[in-house]
Amino acid sequence: MSLTLRPHIAGMPPYRAGRSPKPGPDGRAWKVSSNENPYGPLPGVLEAVARSLEEMNRYPDAGNTEMTSALATRHGLDEERLAFGTGSVEVLAHLLEATCGPGDEVVYAWRSFEAYPLAVQVLGARSVQVPLTATGEHDLDAMRAAITPRTRAVMVCTPNNPTGPAIPHDDLVTFLESVPDDILVIVDEAYVEYVNDPCATRGLELLDVHPGVVSLRTFSKAYGLAALRVGWMAAADTEIARAVRSVTMPFAISSPAQVAVLASLEAEPELIGRVRVTIHERDRIAEELRRLGHRIPATQGNFVWFPAGELTHVWFDAFREAGLMTRAFAGEGLRVSIAEPDANDRILEVAGTLLR
Ligand SMILES: *Cc1c(COP(=O)(O)O)cnc(C)c1O
């Protein structure tokens, strides 16, 4: 007799990470496929990590005590509302694990973050994907209409990966007021640091609007700690945070990762400086692309979306030939991360040839 996999696990495709670039004609190459921060660790981070490595014989602090108190203080939140994971993707998985089982429904917009369908499927729950509008935005009315008595969770992604728009704060408040109180609502704010539209969602303020709201954050993007894997959440309901802490493996977050987070939080001025550069570059690229005739959606993340449709693979190849590894979604479009200014100039050069 051979081992039997559970049916919903047997059918699961693996997560596809962004591929590495191949050098362009001038030998230069950029990976603009994973929305990573192009800049290295913030000041003080490497030193703190190096110091912590001297104690690698010791287990990390299982309670994430210092990170908890640093973030609670910084955002004015009760510590009981917080929970951490090895990346916000793990926190998301645990939130769903705590609330959803086989046959339960999870409503989210599509296309959105590729980790969502996998996180739902692994539980044997059912994804209810609500198409984005023509401009790449969440259709909150359609999402509300998709909620049934079987719905256990709703996920929104703002700014939306891969299309870019942020959900207007007031629209999300209205939506939440219509969602039953016993439904979990995950507000994935992986790119919140890059938002400069004052009307965009401010997730932490939503904790007062609906008892099931969770704001999901990461140190992988603006803070540049993607390899160290730290994500966190703030919940309206301390019971939700407690549940996530309970199902998370003890010692999940390593000591080097914990000290890297603390040192990064202390490097606030430098963080703000480089986030400003990325925002400036994003807005420059978006404006220039529109001038070239590209119909790109509004973007509040560190990336732009080309709705290339049937031309997606052709445009992907054009970028790749120039040394730019982008992220392609067959038949839909390309996501290109904002990187160093010279990479961004190369993006514009290629984009200028695509509509001829
Ligand atoms: C990159 C990203 C994350 C972050 O994932 P980590 O596990 O924290 O690295 C979360 N949500 C979205 C939408 C993302 O694009």
Side-chain angles (χ1 to χ4, degrees), residues 10 30 38 69 84 86 98 130 151 177 180 183 185 192 198 201 247 254 267 288 294 301 308 324 329 331 344:
W30 294 276
S69 101
F84 291 82
T86 52
V130 179
T151 306
E177 284 167 351
I183 292 180
V185 184
V192 68
T201 290
V247 296
S254 71
E288 191 62 19
H294 284 280
L324 293 160
F329 299 93
N344 302 337

Coordinates of all heavy atoms in Angstrom, one line a residue, residues 10 30 38 69 84 86 98 130 151 177 180 183 185 192 198 201 247 254 267 288 294 301 308 324 329 331 344:
A10 N -2.6 17.0 -2.7 CA -2.1 16.4 -3.9 C -2.2 17.3 -5.1 O -1.3 17.3 -5.9 CB -2.8 15.1 -4.1
W30 N 19.1 43.1 -13.8 CA 18.3 43.5 -12.6 C 17.1 42.6 -12.4 O 16.4 42.2 -13.4 CB 17.7 44.9 -12.7 CG 18.8 46.0 -12.8 CD1 19.4 46.6 -11.7 CD2 19.3 46.6 -14.0 NE1 20.3 47.6 -12.2 CE2 20.2 47.6 -13.6 CE3 19.0 46.4 -15.4 CZ2 20.9 48.4 -14.5 CZ3 19.7 47.2 -16.3 CH2 20.7 48.2 -15.8
P38 N 15.6 47.5 -3.4 CA 16.9 47.4 -4.1 C 18.1 47.7 -3.2 O 19.3 47.5 -3.5 CB 16.8 48.4 -5.2 CG 15.8 49.4 -4.7 CD 14.8 48.6 -3.9
S69 N 7.1 44.9 22.0 CA 7.0 46.2 22.7 C 7.4 47.4 21.8 O 6.7 48.4 21.9 CB 7.7 46.1 24.0 OG 9.0 46.8 24.0
F84 N 3.4 37.7 15.5 CA 4.5 37.7 14.5 C 4.5 36.3 13.8 O 4.0 35.3 14.3 CB 5.8 37.9 15.2 CG 6.0 39.3 15.7 CD1 5.4 39.7 16.9 CD2 6.6 40.3 15.0 CE1 5.5 41.0 17.4 CE2 6.7 41.6 15.4 CZ 6.2 41.9 16.7
T86 N 7.1 34.1 10.5 CA 8.2 34.1 9.6 C 7.7 34.6 8.2 O 7.5 33.8 7.3 CB 8.8 32.7 9.5 OG1 7.8 31.8 9.1 CG2 9.5 32.2 10.7
A98 N -6.7 29.4 11.8 CA -7.5 29.5 13.0 C -8.9 29.7 12.7 O -9.8 29.6 13.7 CB -6.9 30.8 13.8
V130 N -13.1 37.3 -6.7 CA -13.9 38.3 -7.3 C -13.1 39.2 -8.2 O -12.1 39.8 -7.7 CB -14.5 39.2 -6.1 CG1 -15.4 40.3 -6.8 CG2 -15.3 38.3 -5.2
T151 N -19.0 31.9 4.2 CA -17.7 32.7 4.2 C -17.2 32.8 5.6 O -17.9 33.2 6.6 CB -18.1 34.1 3.7 OG1 -18.7 34.0 2.4 CG2 -16.8 34.9 3.6
E177 N -18.5 48.0 7.3 CA -19.8 48.1 8.0 C -20.9 47.2 7.5 O -21.8 46.9 8.3 CB -20.2 49.6 7.9 CG -19.4 50.5 8.9 CD -19.5 52.0 8.6 OE1 -20.2 52.4 7.6 OE2 -19.0 52.7 9.4
P180 N -20.6 40.9 8.1 CA -21.0 40.4 9.4 C -19.8 40.3 10.4 O -18.7 40.1 10.0 CB -21.5 38.9 9.1 CG -21.9 39.0 7.6 CD -21.0 40.0 7.0
I183 N -16.9 37.5 10.7 CA -16.1 37.1 9.6 C -14.7 37.8 9.8 O -14.6 39.0 10.1 CB -16.7 37.5 8.2 CG1 -17.9 36.7 8.0 CG2 -15.7 37.5 7.1 CD1 -18.6 37.0 6.7
V185 N -11.5 39.6 8.6 CA -11.1 40.5 7.4 C -9.6 40.8 7.5 O -9.2 41.6 8.3 CB -12.0 41.8 7.3 CG1 -11.6 42.5 6.1 CG2 -13.5 41.5 7.4
V192 N 2.4 49.3 2.5 CA 1.8 50.5 3.1 C 2.9 51.6 3.2 O 2.5 52.8 3.1 CB 1.2 50.2 4.5 CG1 2.2 49.8 5.5 CG2 0.3 51.3 5.0
P198 N -3.2 60.4 0.3 CA -3.8 60.6 1.7 C -5.2 59.9 1.9 O -5.6 59.7 3.0 CB -3.9 62.1 1.8 CG -3.8 62.7 0.5 CD -3.0 61.7 -0.4
T201 N -6.3 53.5 2.2 CA -6.5 52.8 3.4 C -5.4 52.9 4.5 O -4.3 52.8 4.2 CB -6.7 51.3 3.1 OG1 -7.9 51.1 2.4 CG2 -6.7 50.4 4.4
V247 N -1.0 29.0 17.4 CA -0.7 28.0 16.3 C 0.7 28.2 15.6 O 1.1 27.4 14.8 CB -1.8 28.0 15.2 CG1 -3.1 27.5 15.8 CG2 -1.9 29.3 14.5
S254 N 14.0 33.8 14.2 CA 15.4 33.7 14.7 C 15.9 34.9 15.4 O 15.3 36.0 15.2 CB 16.3 33.4 13.6 OG 16.5 34.5 12.8
A267 N 16.4 52.9 12.7 CA 17.0 53.6 11.6 C 15.9 54.3 10.8 O 15.9 54.4 9.6 CB 17.8 52.7 10.7
E288 N 5.8 58.8 -16.7 CA 6.5 58.7 -18.0 C 5.8 57.6 -18.8 O 5.7 57.8 -20.1 CB 8.0 58.4 -17.7 CG 8.9 58.5 -18.9 CD 8.9 59.9 -19.5 OE1 8.5 60.9 -18.8 OE2 9.3 60.0 -20.7
H294 N 1.3 54.0 -22.3 CA 0.9 52.8 -21.6 C -0.3 53.1 -20.7 O -0.3 54.1 -20.0 CB 2.1 52.3 -20.8 CG 3.1 51.7 -21.6 ND1 3.0 50.4 -22.0 CD2 4.3 52.1 -22.1 CE1 4.1 50.1 -22.8 NE2 4.9 51.1 -22.8
G301 N 2.3 51.0 -4.8 CA 3.3 50.1 -4.3 C 4.7 50.4 -4.8 O 4.9 51.5 -5.3
A308 N -0.7 43.8 -20.3 CA -0.2 43.5 -21.7 C -1.1 42.5 -22.4 O -1.0 42.4 -23.6 CB 1.2 43.0 -21.7
L324 N 16.3 42.9 -17.8 CA 15.3 43.1 -16.8 C 14.5 41.8 -16.6 O 13.7 41.5 -17.5 CB 14.5 44.3 -17.1 CG 15.2 45.6 -17.1 CD1 14.4 46.7 -17.9 CD2 15.4 46.1 -15.6
F329 N 2.3 37.3 -15.9 CA 1.2 36.5 -15.7 C 0.5 36.3 -17.0 O -0.1 37.2 -17.6 CB 0.2 37.2 -14.7 CG 0.8 37.5 -13.4 CD1 1.5 38.7 -13.1 CD2 0.8 36.5 -12.4 CE1 2.1 38.9 -11.9 CE2 1.4 36.8 -11.1 CZ 2.0 38.0 -10.9
G331 N -1.2 35.9 -20.4 CA -2.4 36.4 -20.9 C -3.0 37.6 -20.2 O -4.0 38.2 -20.6
N344 N 15.5 51.7 -13.4 CA 14.3 52.3 -13.8 C 14.3 53.0 -15.1 O 13.4 53.0 -15.9 CB 13.8 53.3 -12.7 CG 13.7 52.7 -11.3 OD1 13.5 51.5 -11.3 ND2 13.8 53.4 -10.3

